Amino acid sequence: MRTAPTILHLDMDAFYASAEQASKPSLRGKAVVVGGLGPRGVVATASYEARVFGVRSAMPMGQARRLAPNAAYLMPRFGLYRAVSEQVMGLLHALSPLVEPLSLDEAFVDLEAAGAAWDRDSALRVGERLRADIRAVTGLTGSVGLAASKMLAKIASEDAKPDGLVLIEPGTERALLGPMPVRTLPGVGPATGDHLRRAGITTVDELAEAGEDELVRLLGKAHGHGLYAMALALDDRPVNAEREAKSVSVEDTYDVDIHDRVRVAGEVRRLADRCVGRLRGAGFSGRTIVLKVRRYDFSTLTRSETLRGPTDDPEVVREAAARLLDSVDTTGGVRLLGVGVTGLADYTQEDLFAQAAGERAALVLEETPPEPVAVEAVPRERGWAAGHDVRHARFGHGWVQGSGLGRVTVRFETPQDTVAGRVRTFRTDDTELEPAEPLPLVLVSPEAEEAEEAGEEAEEAGEAAGAQGSSEPASFPKSRSGKGEGDGAATSRP
């Protein structure tokens, strides 16, 4: 364990929903729910205003609508979220070479690695300036936790939400963790939590008092040992900047069960192509093809096939997925399909394709099942998805509020507007209306870009001095807002 709180955990606040509010003036301060809008959709993120009504991530969208019927319900815009995430990760990489992203909106940073922080006060300064920079660059807020271990840093950032900073003083971890529920610890999900509760263990103190042998008896050797160490606040896991993807996959949930076997096969081919697109986009190939099928009765089947070597050939993945589908009975209907690739590598084994080429030659006379002609059941593929960007030849940039019965309603506003924009309704086939790319949440002036480039050069020149322990951290950017802290609270947990 470290003796200084130099591990930082950043978690953006209600990331998807906050990005939507920042880009849509009419939704600022209002309940916003982002996720799949079909009958089987689930909530990806809810704004804090929506959480007041009990809406939570992973909740069925139908339940969310009953709890908050007047909230704005939007389809995700992953292109925007990725762009903002890249800005945030850029700020983190300016702090340290050791950044471990956990998702688009969450990451660990080792502040000790490049001399960005070395004690309590320097760590607090870094955390405060990071929050201010995130707000200045993206217009959004993030919560920061600082501690001597990854586990405690993550607990601290959760305690800091929303828009705050919490530092846990080294040496106080046991006293802090003791009264917390066991679900606070990583790896304790609902099932493990219920199992421990039945054994009379509900807090971290009770977990530690039970002893390692009892936890091994209850949970097994690996889980018992690990959980006992965490209950004692022992966590030596390093920040791992080389965290690799283990798999690439795509899946779709259908509003209406698919019974037609030909359409199921067509969907599997389409998913295989999308999966390969993601695989190539990430610069990987894979050796094991996985098919996931959730049937009408909610039973989920997984089938896999391991090839002789890694591939990123779409035809090879399609054929493997088709073979796996042959082993699955879909007679009663299918509600979800997914195709994935695991066993990732950064190369392909070219001679693997000889077998696939021979198989394709044998099948050349076989008629390929046609693509399904029915309208896709997933709302995001229907043309005018709620929340997505559009541009009108006369009215400019806007976003879709809703569509149906041949009409689409658009609110015309941009992230830089200070008041809600006007609403107009058009025919869905209006030739002057077209999809558009998201606008940046914060406009950066040429002067600010030049200043940022100059700051990056200064950071590179000052890294050596910062690593030697100068009084002011040299490896993080100065706050673009000119302040040393954000609007939220900075708290030290004794």
Side-chain angles (χ1 to χ4, degrees):
M1 292 284 290
R2 302 186 182 196
T3 57
T6 53
I7 292 182
L8 179 149
H9 181 259
L10 170 72
D11 195 357
M12 299 295 288
D13 299 323
F15 183 48
Y16 296 172
S18 294
E20 297 297 343
Q21 289 175 316
S23 68
K24 299 174 171 66
S26 58
L27 297 184
R28 292 170 189 168
K30 298 182 179 179
V32 174
V33 181
V34 179
L37 302 188
R40 293 172 178 171
V42 297
V43 175
T45 308
S47 70
Y48 287 99
E49 296 85 355
R51 296 180 190 187
V52 171
F53 298 99
V55 180
R56 295 289 185 270
S57 298
M59 174 181 288
M61 192 60 76
Q63 182 181 354
R65 288 185 184 275
R66 289 191 293 272
L67 292 171
N70 296 320
Y73 289 86
L74 308 175
M75 292 293 292
R77 294 186 296 163
F78 289 109
L80 171 65
Y81 311 147
R82 280 191 290 268
V84 176
S85 175
E86 288 173 3
Q87 292 177 305
V88 173
M89 296 302 166
L91 293 173
L92 298 183
H93 281 286
L95 297 176
S96 170
L98 291 183
V99 176
E100 181 179 337
L102 303 179
S103 62
L104 288 177
D105 63 333
E106 185 180 1
F108 287 108
V109 184
D110 187 339
L111 300 179
E112 207 174 72
W118 49 90
D119 60 12
R120 175 188 181 280
D121 291 340
S122 60
L124 275 174
R125 288 198 299 271
V126 172
E128 290 166 350
R129 292 185 182 182
L130 173 63
R131 291 177 52 241
D133 282 349
I134 288 173
R135 183 186 291 274
V137 171
T138 69
L140 306 180
T141 64
S143 296
V144 170
L146 293 161
S149 69
K150 290 170 71 173
M151 178 182 72
L152 271 298
K154 186 173 175 64
I155 290 173
S157 70
E158 185 64 30
D159 193 26
K161 283 187 169 295
D163 190 22
L165 183 154
V166 169
L167 181 148
I168 296 177
E169 297 280 2
T172 67
E173 294 93 347
R174 285 287 304 275
L176 176 73
L177 281 176
M180 291 184 174
V182 292
R183 289 288 304 276
T184 303
L185 300 180
V188 182
T192 301
D194 287 344
H195 192 49
L196 291 171
R197 180 179 52 78
R198 288 194 295 271
I201 300 172
T202 59
T203 68
V204 177
D205 264 344
E206 292 170 346
L207 201 63
E209 291 169 2
E212 188 171 13
D213 291 342
E214 176 65 8
L215 294 180
V216 168
R217 186 187 70 81
L218 287 171
L219 305 173
K221 187 173 182 180
H223 201 184
H225 284 313
L227 206 54
Y228 182 68
M230 286 189 288
L232 299 180
L234 301 177
D235 178 19
D236 292 324
R237 294 174 299 159
V239 176
N240 182 11
E242 302 300 323
R243 189 179 173 97
E244 296 181 356
K246 297 181 179 179
S247 64
V248 173
S249 62
V250 296
E251 62 182 42
D252 275 347
T253 301
Y254 305 98
D255 290 347
V256 179
D257 292 345
I258 303 176
H259 294 83
D260 184 354
R261 183 75 177 191
V262 172
R263 182 176 175 201
V264 171
E267 288 293 301
V268 168
R269 284 203 314 280
R270 184 178 61 81
L271 291 167
D273 288 343
R274 281 174 53 197
C275 183
V276 170
R278 289 190 182 181
L279 194 68
R280 289 182 168 180
F284 289 119
S285 59
R287 191 162 179 255
T288 301
I289 315 303
V290 180
L291 175 71
K292 178 180 177 181
V293 179
R294 181 166 297 150
R295 298 189 293 189
Y296 69 98
D297 58 357
F298 289 90
S299 62
T300 302
L301 304 177
T302 303
R303 300 286 185 268
S304 64
E305 176 180 321
T306 299
L307 308 172
R308 293 201 301 266
T311 181
D312 65 353
D313 185 311
E315 191 66 24
V316 172
V317 176
R318 279 191 220 111
E319 291 175 358
R323 287 193 294 273
L324 294 171
L325 180 62
D326 288 341
S327 66
V328 178
D329 180 11
T330 62
T331 305
V334 170
R335 60 185 289 121
L336 177 147
L337 290 168
V339 174
V341 178
T342 66
L344 302 186
D346 56 3
Y347 66 93
T348 59
Q349 187 168 313
E350 298 298 337
D351 61 0
L352 170 69
F353 304 146
Q355 176 184 2
E359 292 172 353
R360 288 196 292 272
L363 296 172
V364 68
L365 297 179
E366 182 176 336
E367 182 180 356
T368 302
E371 291 291 337
V373 296
V375 176
E376 289 296 332
V378 183
R380 59 179 166 77
E381 297 180 354
R382 288 177 177 167
W384 303 113
H388 283 212
D389 299 84
V390 294
R391 176 168 291 280
H392 194 275
R394 286 178 291 156
F395 303 111
H397 190 93
W399 58 278
V400 176
Q401 281 198 321
S403 63
L405 301 177
R407 296 288 187 270
V408 55
T409 300
V410 178
R411 185 181 289 273
F412 290 97
E413 57 187 5
T414 71
Q416 284 68 51
D417 293 336
T418 57
V419 296
R422 291 187 173 183
V423 176
R424 294 182 180 273
T425 299
F426 308 91
R427 290 175 56 91
T428 53
D429 59 356
D430 191 317
T431 58
E432 293 187 307
L433 188 68
E434 60 183 6
E437 292 298 317
L439 297 177
L441 301 183
V442 176
L443 293 180
V444 181
S445 66
E447 294 79 6
E449 289 182 346
E450 292 176 4
E452 184 174 349
E453 292 175 0
E456 289 173 355
E457 293 174 0
E459 287 161 16
E460 293 175 1
E463 278 182 0
Q468 293 171 1
S470 63
S471 60
E472 180 71 14
S475 59
F476 59 82
K478 300 297 182 183
S479 170
R480 293 170 175 80
S481 65
K483 299 179 181 179
E485 59 183 352
D487 295 335
T491 306
S492 176
R493 290 286 185 261

